[in-house]
Structure formats: structure tokens, C-alpha cells
């Protein structure tokens, strides 16, 4: 396989991993106002992702590093042209991480409520803006002959991109709520299952609309097939949730997000940043990639370290596989396990 194609696939795989894993983190954070009836409920929700949220977040760092090393022209155009939305994503992620660590530092309800609100914002903003960013990449943006983005921030907020942002927001929310039902017990588990049913209906409609628009306007046969498979998996997750099969529902939600992201990469290929104003200005896997020598060295590094990263991720999930219950949360305002 050509190394440029290989690294396009690796970058796609890393973003699939990030959206699947950090996606349910975002969903759990956004679910606080809906499932957190009191402080103990909110601590249960946070503790479901406490041991793993920071590990999930490292996927975007690895994806960004791989993008920078394998496709420096793509990285430069993306991060300069999409500077404001990517900065907002970064600030939101920082805000969310700080809130996990600081909400327990004082016992006052107002203090905790303030940081809970920041967790919600810090989860919703990236969930929405990642969809906006990737939708614009697939649809194409105006580029000059030097591959510089020549549009403005408001140009990124077009109807297709906004629908893409709403799609990722709803997918991640439902993914997170299903995860809560998988990781908790008692009343909060039942409420999470009911919420996943309600949000699932809306998610199916919005996601199907976005994938259909993508297929008709920008898709290929491969991306169309992946979109169809994603739609089937999403419906399957919804039905599994109705039957209280939380593990199956969560697995199918993860498959839905993975297939949907892959469909966007297949719709994009062989471009990496299409120019909407002039196809001659588009960035492709060929004119955006690093040298053959660089890609060869990176391939050997990936061959060694990617399996280790996946093994460590799987080991971490296995260790923290048990359900979180209200009985495990102490009555006193002590340091929650989730913040360690």
C-alpha cells in the first residue's frame, strides 16, 4: 500500500477512536442536568468516566500529532483556517478538565453547581464544533493557490456544517446516556435508559438527514455503504436500548459513530481539504503529505506503539468495568474517585 494512503487510513482510525471514546465522555458531561437530580447523582455520573476521560482525550493529541507529521500541509491549512473553532474546542476541553478536578474542592452547593455547569459547556461545545469542522472539510472550503483558507469564521457556519454539528452533538449525547445506563445501577440506570430512548428518536432523524445529505452531495459508493451501515447500527442500538440490552446498545452506538466518521473520510478521499472555489487549489493525500522517508519512519513507530496503546486502553477499561452506584458515594463532601 502507498504510504500516503496508509497514513490517511491511520489518521482516520485515530479520529474514529477519538470520537467513539471521547464521544461518550461528552455525552456523560452533557447529561448532568438531565440525570443529576442531586449532588450524589452527579458524582455517580462523573465517576462513570472518572478513571478514563483523560485517557480517551489523548486520542485527539495523537491524531493531531499524526496529522502534523504525515500531512503537514493539511495540518497547516486546517489549524490556520479553522483557528477560532479549534481554539474554542481547546478552551472547552481545558474548562471541562479543570472542572472535574475542582468541583470537589469546596462543599458549597453553589461552588459545585458552577463547575457542573462548566462540565456541561465543556462537553457540548466540542461535541458540536467537531461536527462543524469535519462537515466543512468534507464539503470543501475556499482556498487560494497556496492552500490558505480565504473564508471567514461565519462561512464555516453554513447549513450543512450546522447540521453536522447537531448530528455529532446528538450522537455523543445518546452515546453517553447509553454508557451511563451500562455503568450504573438502580434508579439512575432506569432514567438513563428512558432518556436514551427519547434522545435516540431525535438522533436517528437528524443523523439520517445528515448522512443522506452527505451521500447525495459529496458521497462515493463506499461512503454511501458505510452511511447505510451506520444508520442500521443506530437503529439497532435504539432497539437494544428498548430491550434493556445496555452492552449491545453501547457497542452499536460505538459502531454507529465509527462507521459515520469512516464514511466522511471515504467521501473525502483522495482529497484531504477540498477547495470549494477552485478544485486546482485542493489539498490531496499527495500534495499535502510528508516525504517518503518521513512516512517510512513513522510507519515503523506506529507498528510498535499503536498495539501498545490499544492494549493499555483495553486493560484500563477492563480494570474499571464495574458499575458505579449511589451506595459507593460517601455522604460527606470528600474527594470523588472520578477526580483522581
Amino acid at each position: 500500500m502507498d504510504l500516503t494512503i496508509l497514513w490517511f487510513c491511520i489518521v482516520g482510525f485515530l479520529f474514529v477512536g477519538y470520537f467513539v471514546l471521547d464521544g461518550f465522555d461528552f455525552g456523560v458531561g452533557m447529561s448532568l442536568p438531565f440525570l443529576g437530580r442531586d449532588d450524589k447523582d452527579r458524582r455517580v455520573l462523573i465517576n462513570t468516566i472518572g478513571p478514563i476521560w483523560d485517557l480517551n482525550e489523548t486520542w485527539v493529541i495523537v491524531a493531531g500529532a499524526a496529522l502534523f507529521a504525515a500531512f503537514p500541509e493539511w495540518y497547516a491549512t486546517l489549524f490556520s483556517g479553522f483557528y477560532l473553532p479549534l481554539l474554542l474546542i481547546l478552551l472547552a476541553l481545558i474548562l471541562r478538565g479543570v472542572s472535574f478536578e475542582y468541583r470537589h474542592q469546596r462543599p458549597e452547593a453553589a461552588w459545585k453547581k458552577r463547575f457542573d455547569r462548566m462540565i456541561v459547556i465543556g462537553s457540548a461545545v466540542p461535541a458540536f464544533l467537531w461536527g462543524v469542522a469535519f462537515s466543512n472539510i468534507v464539503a470543501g472550503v475556499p482556498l487560494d493557490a497556496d492552500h490558505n483558507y480565504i473564508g471567514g469564521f461565519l462561512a464555516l457556519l453554513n447549513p450543512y456544517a450546522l447540521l453536522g454539528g447537531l448530528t455529532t452533538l446528538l450522537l455523543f449525547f445518546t452515546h453517553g446516556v447509553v454508557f451511563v445506563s451500562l455503568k450504573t445501577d438502580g434508579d439512575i440506570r432506569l432514567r438513563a435508559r428512558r432518556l436514551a430512548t427519547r434522545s435516540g428518536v431525535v438522533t436517528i432523524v437528524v443523523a439520517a438527514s445528515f448522512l443522506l445529505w452527505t451521500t447525495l452531495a459529496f458521497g462515493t459508493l463506499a461512503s454511501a455503504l458505510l452511511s447505510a451501515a451506520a444508520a442500521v447500527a443506530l437503529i439497532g442500538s435504539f432497539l437494544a436500548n428498548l430491550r434493556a440490552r445496555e452492552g449491545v446498545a453501547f457497542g452499536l452506538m460505538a459502531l454507529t459513530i465509527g462507521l459515520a466518521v469512516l464514511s466522511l473520510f471515504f467521501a473525502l478521499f483522495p482529497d484531504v481539504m477540498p477547495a470549494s472555489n477552485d478544485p486546482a487549489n485542493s489539498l490531496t493525500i499527495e500534495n499535502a503529505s510528508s516525504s517518503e522517508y518521513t512516512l517510512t519512519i513513522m510507519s515503523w513507530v506506529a507498528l510498535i506503539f499503536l498495539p501498545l496503546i490499544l492494549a493499555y486502553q483495553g486493560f484500563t477499561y477492563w480494570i474499571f468495568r464495574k458499575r458505579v452506584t449511589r451506595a459507593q458515594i460517601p455522604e460527606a463532601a470528600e474527594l470523588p474517585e472520578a477526580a483522581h
Side-chain angles (χ1 to χ4, degrees):
M1 180 186 291
D2 187 281
L3 288 180
T4 55
I5 298 177
L6 173 64
W7 274 96
F8 181 82
C9 293
I10 291 176
V11 169
F13 169 77
L14 292 172
F15 274 107
V16 166
Y18 173 64
F19 286 145
V20 169
L21 297 176
D22 217 21
F24 70 77
D25 283 356
F26 294 146
V28 173
M30 289 185 284
S31 74
L32 289 182
F34 302 94
L35 297 176
R37 290 181 173 176
D38 56 23
D39 182 61
K40 185 170 282 192
D41 273 355
R42 289 187 287 273
R43 290 166 68 185
V44 167
L45 292 170
I46 293 171
N47 280 13
T48 62
I49 58 173
I52 56 176
W53 71 267
D54 47 356
L55 179 62
N56 292 342
E57 210 163 86
T58 58
W59 279 75
V60 73
I61 299 173
V62 177
L67 189 64
F68 172 77
F71 299 100
E73 288 284 340
W74 185 11
Y75 180 93
T77 300
L78 178 64
F79 277 78
S80 60
F82 292 20
Y83 179 81
L84 183 54
L86 292 176
L87 177 61
L88 291 174
I89 289 173
L90 177 61
L91 292 176
L93 293 177
I94 294 172
L95 186 71
R96 188 177 67 130
V98 168
S99 299
F100 284 142
E101 300 295 334
Y102 274 82
R103 78 175 302 276
H104 67 272
Q105 295 295 340
R106 289 171 58 177
E108 294 88 352
W111 173 272
K112 294 180 179 180
K113 185 177 181 180
R114 188 177 303 119
F115 283 105
D116 289 342
R117 189 179 300 117
M118 288 193 287
I119 290 173
V120 175
I121 295 171
S123 300
V125 169
F128 177 74
L129 288 181
W130 277 122
V132 171
F134 268 81
S135 299
N136 276 293
I137 292 172
V138 171
V141 292
L143 302 176
D144 63 18
D146 296 320
H147 309 304
N148 296 312
Y149 175 64
I150 54 177
F153 174 68
L154 293 179
L156 300 176
L157 303 178
N158 55 79
Y160 173 71
L162 292 175
L163 180 61
L166 183 60
T167 299
T168 52
L169 181 76
L170 289 170
L171 281 172
F172 293 164
F173 179 80
T174 304
H175 193 29
V177 175
V178 171
F179 179 75
V180 171
S181 71
L182 176 66
K183 284 289 292 180
T184 60
D185 211 343
D187 180 63
I188 194 170
R189 176 186 180 186
L190 298 177
R191 287 190 282 117
R193 192 186 304 153
R194 289 195 295 267
L195 180 59
T197 299
R198 293 195 295 270
S199 68
V201 173
V202 182
T203 302
I204 288 172
V205 174
V206 173
S209 301
F210 174 71
L211 291 175
L212 181 61
W213 190 342
T214 303
T215 299
L216 294 177
F218 315 107
T220 62
L221 177 59
S223 69
L225 292 175
L226 287 168
S227 295
V232 171
L234 180 57
I235 295 171
S237 176
F238 177 79
L239 296 176
N241 179 70
L242 286 177
R243 300 182 61 185
R245 302 288 299 275
E246 290 107 340
V248 175
F250 179 75
L252 288 174
M253 275 302 304
L255 182 62
T256 297
I257 295 172
L259 290 172
V261 176
L262 281 178
S263 73
L264 296 181
F265 273 88
F266 271 84
L268 189 61
F269 184 83
D271 291 333
V272 293
M273 201 82 173
S276 58
N277 55 326
D278 185 353
N281 296 341
S282 296
L283 281 169
T284 68
I285 61 170
E286 296 297 336
N287 64 18
S289 67
S290 295
S291 66
E292 187 84 5
Y293 178 77
T294 300
L295 295 179
T296 301
I297 297 297
M298 289 175 58
S299 299
W300 283 107
V301 172
L303 181 64
I304 296 170
F305 287 102
L306 266 181
L308 296 177
I309 293 172
L310 293 174
Y312 178 71
Q313 185 101 38
F315 174 75
T316 303
Y317 274 78
W318 175 255
I319 291 296
F320 296 103
R321 67 189 182 277
K322 293 183 179 180
R323 293 182 183 269
V324 181
T325 65
R326 284 177 63 95
Q328 298 169 351
I329 306 297
E331 293 294 337
E334 298 173 356
L335 181 68
E337 254 186 57
H340 286 292

